[in-house]
Amino acid sequence: IKSPQVKRLRAIEFHKIPTASQDGVYPFFEVYHCHGLDIKLLFTYQPTRWYRSKEGSACFKLATNQRKALPLHGDIKIVFKH
């Protein structure tokens, strides 16, 4: 592919709060670019607040900066952490 299609990551949205622990989660994520066995960290979204499991199916966003959305192409890997 001479010029791969570039997508921009603007947000990651959860429609139900994960139950990683009994009290809730402090979510963040990392985005990696994968080229064979060469995996390079591109972006880390720092945790912003604690989300309680009692909030049920409330919707929340982990948004990157809208003006400087992360450009992505090829194979990527997104790792969610708590």
Side-chain angles (χ1 to χ4, degrees):
I1 300 173
K2 290 185 179 182
S3 57
Q5 189 174 17
V6 176
K7 301 290 185 182
R8 295 189 179 277
L9 178 64
R10 294 187 180 169
I12 294 180
E13 190 172 332
F14 289 92
H15 292 279
K16 183 171 182 180
I17 297 171
T19 53
S21 70
Q22 293 178 353
D23 297 333
V25 295
Y26 201 55
F28 67 100
F29 64 91
E30 296 174 334
V31 179
Y32 296 88
H33 181 260
C34 304
H35 186 71
L37 295 176
D38 182 28
I39 299 173
K40 186 167 116 179
L41 178 65
L42 296 177
F43 177 79
T44 300
Y45 180 86
Q46 298 300 322
T48 56
R49 72 169 264 229
W50 182 265
Y51 293 94
R52 297 200 178 277
S53 299
K54 294 177 184 177
E55 295 176 45
S57 62
C59 177
F60 61 93
K61 286 185 179 184
L62 300 175
T64 59
N65 185 333
Q66 294 295 329
R67 288 188 211 164
K68 296 182 179 179
L70 185 63
L72 300 171
H73 63 86
D75 293 331
I76 64 162
K77 176 180 179 179
I78 300 176
V79 179
F80 296 93
K81 296 184 177 185
H82 160 69

